[in-house]
Every structure is written in C-alpha cells, then in structure tokens.
Amino acid sequence: MQAETVALVITIVVSGLGSSLATIRILLNQICQMEVRLTTRIDANGVAIKENRHAIEDNRVAINENRVAINENRRRIDELTGRMDGQARETQKVRESLARVEGFLMGPGGFRLGDPGPSAEKEAALNE
C-alpha cells in the first residue's frame, strides 16, 4: 500500500503543481495582453497629445495674426477718424463762410434777383 500512497501523493502534488503552473501561465498571458493594451493606449494618447500640441501652436499663430490684423484695423480707424476730423473742420469753415455771405446778402440794401436797377442815391439825384 505504500506504493499506492506514494503514487497518490505524487499524483496530487503533480496535479497541484500542474494546476498552479497553468494558473500562473494564464495570469502571465493576461498580464501580457493587458500590457499590450496599455502600451497601445499610451501610444495613441502620445499621438493625440502631439496633435493637440500642434493644434495649440497653430491656434497661437492664428491669434498672433489676428492681433496684427486688429492693430492694423485700429490704425486705419485712427487714420479715418483723423480724416473725418479734418473734414469736419473744413465743413465748419464752409459753414462759416456761407453764413458770412448770407449775412452780407441779407444786410442793408437786401438781395434781389435779376437787374439791381438804379440805387436809391441815383434815383434821388434823378428826381431833383
């Protein structure tokens, strides 16, 4: 019986050892697959990060270009404002000149369309 007991113990030990080795092999295989998945995701994230960095840099360039365009538009607006101020001054001068002419025309003696005819002094001299 002793041989049967030894054989039984050996069978139990070998099956336990085989089962443990199979379990370890399965765990190692799962760990390897997990590592591959993680590596793939890390690589994909690295690529996405690089793309985002490029997009951020492109946005910075676009922002700087827009700042330049805004500054150019501000300069143009200032230039146009200066022109408008100059034209406002010219318009005011014309208004003042026109007011002087109107004042002269509406002054004593009045303003008549057509032939002014003889002046009041000439009429008085003719009547004497």
Side-chain angles (χ1 to χ4, degrees):
M1 226 178 27
Q2 210 136 8
E4 289 175 2
T5 305
V6 171
L8 184 61
V9 169
I10 290 175
T11 303
I12 291 173
V13 168
V14 168
S15 76
L17 185 62
S19 175
S20 296
L21 289 175
T23 303
I24 290 172
R25 182 178 168 267
I26 290 171
L27 288 173
L28 288 175
N29 189 22
Q30 290 295 322
I31 289 171
C32 183
Q33 287 179 358
M34 192 77 115
E35 183 182 356
V36 168
R37 284 188 210 136
L38 287 175
T39 303
T40 303
R41 285 186 182 170
I42 289 171
D43 291 342
N45 287 341
V47 169
I49 288 170
K50 286 179 183 177
E51 290 173 356
N52 286 340
R53 284 184 181 155
H54 289 299
I56 289 169
E57 187 60 33
D58 291 343
N59 287 338
R60 284 184 181 150
V61 168
I63 287 169
N64 287 334
E65 289 172 355
N66 288 337
R67 282 184 184 150
V68 168
I70 287 170
N71 289 335
E72 178 64 22
N73 287 336
R74 282 184 183 153
R75 186 192 62 76
R76 287 181 182 169
I77 288 171
D78 290 343
E79 182 179 314
L80 289 174
T81 303
R83 285 183 186 173
M84 289 173 57
D85 289 343
Q87 288 192 354
R89 285 189 295 273
E90 291 296 320
T91 303
Q92 185 61 31
K93 288 178 185 177
V94 169
R95 284 181 182 160
E96 290 170 2
S97 296
L98 182 60
R100 276 191 232 110
V101 168
E102 285 177 343
F104 175 75
L105 293 175
M106 296 303 190
F111 173 73
R112 289 181 260 154
L113 291 175
D115 185 19
S119 66
E121 294 174 359
K122 287 183 183 178
E123 283 185 29
L126 288 175
N127 290 335
E128 292 181 358

